[in-house]
Amino acid sequence: MTAEAADSLDPRDAEAPLADRRRPLGLYVVMALSLGRIIIELTALVGPRGNQLWDWIASGSNVPIFDAGSPVWWIGRGVIILMLLATAASVIGLWRYRTWGWSLALILAGLILAVDIGWWIAGQPRYPGMLFNMIAVFYLNQRDVRATFLPSSL
């Protein structure tokens, strides 16, 4: 059997290109959760204080709100901006079927879940954040999502 004949028997040849395939449900769920994280962090970053709705949304942030102008406040702002940029990059990477987008989304969900567990240990549980990140990790590890980004891992 020649090399060309062996290549034509590869089952992946019958698959449609990535751009033509339907995205798995888990990918939409993770992207929606990531967009929700972006909204929460943006609210914590620039939302007006004193508004009950804005304060409630901002309380979902993984970075605590410090006194304005203090050095810790500036560090917290920097962390929020980094989280926003990394989350936006992961959503773009997931949408464009990039392996780095999947990896970044999994790393972010795992790190934020660890921070949420730290908040729980400190006596300030953030149950919605824990739930959302557990769901994200669950869906990112589903067979159909992994097959989209890492076909050789199955």
Side-chain angles (χ1 to χ4, degrees):
M1 186 187 294
T2 65
E4 292 88 18
D7 287 341
S8 67
L9 296 176
D10 189 1
R12 289 177 289 189
D13 289 342
E15 292 182 17
L18 284 177
D20 296 335
R21 278 200 281 172
R22 209 167 148 235
R23 285 178 174 79
L25 171 68
L27 205 53
Y28 287 113
V29 170
V30 171
M31 286 189 289
L33 291 171
S34 296
L35 291 173
R37 182 183 314 136
I38 289 172
I39 290 169
I40 289 169
E41 297 303 337
L42 273 175
T43 305
L45 186 65
V46 297
R49 298 291 171 250
N51 182 317
Q52 196 173 22
L53 176 63
W54 287 101
D55 288 345
W56 179 76
I57 294 171
S59 70
S61 174
N62 291 302
V63 180
I65 299 170
F66 298 105
D67 294 331
S70 68
V72 192
W73 181 80
W74 287 106
I75 293 170
R77 293 292 182 225
V79 170
I80 290 174
I81 290 170
L82 286 174
M83 280 181 48
L84 282 168
L85 293 174
T87 303
S90 73
V91 170
I92 291 168
L94 289 171
W95 184 257
R96 298 187 68 211
Y97 293 112
R98 301 291 191 249
T99 304
W100 58 262
W102 177 84
S103 299
L104 185 58
L106 191 58
I107 290 168
L108 282 172
L111 283 175
I112 295 171
L113 184 57
V115 169
D116 286 334
I117 291 171
W119 279 110
W120 178 75
I121 291 171
Q124 299 177 8
R126 300 183 183 224
Y127 294 120
M130 281 192 255
L131 177 65
F132 294 156
N133 287 298
M134 285 183 350
I135 292 170
V137 169
F138 172 77
Y139 274 114
L140 285 167
N141 283 301
Q142 287 296 301
R143 184 178 206 88
D144 57 346
V145 174
R146 275 188 329 180
T148 302
F149 294 98
L150 304 168
S152 62
S153 71
L154 299 177

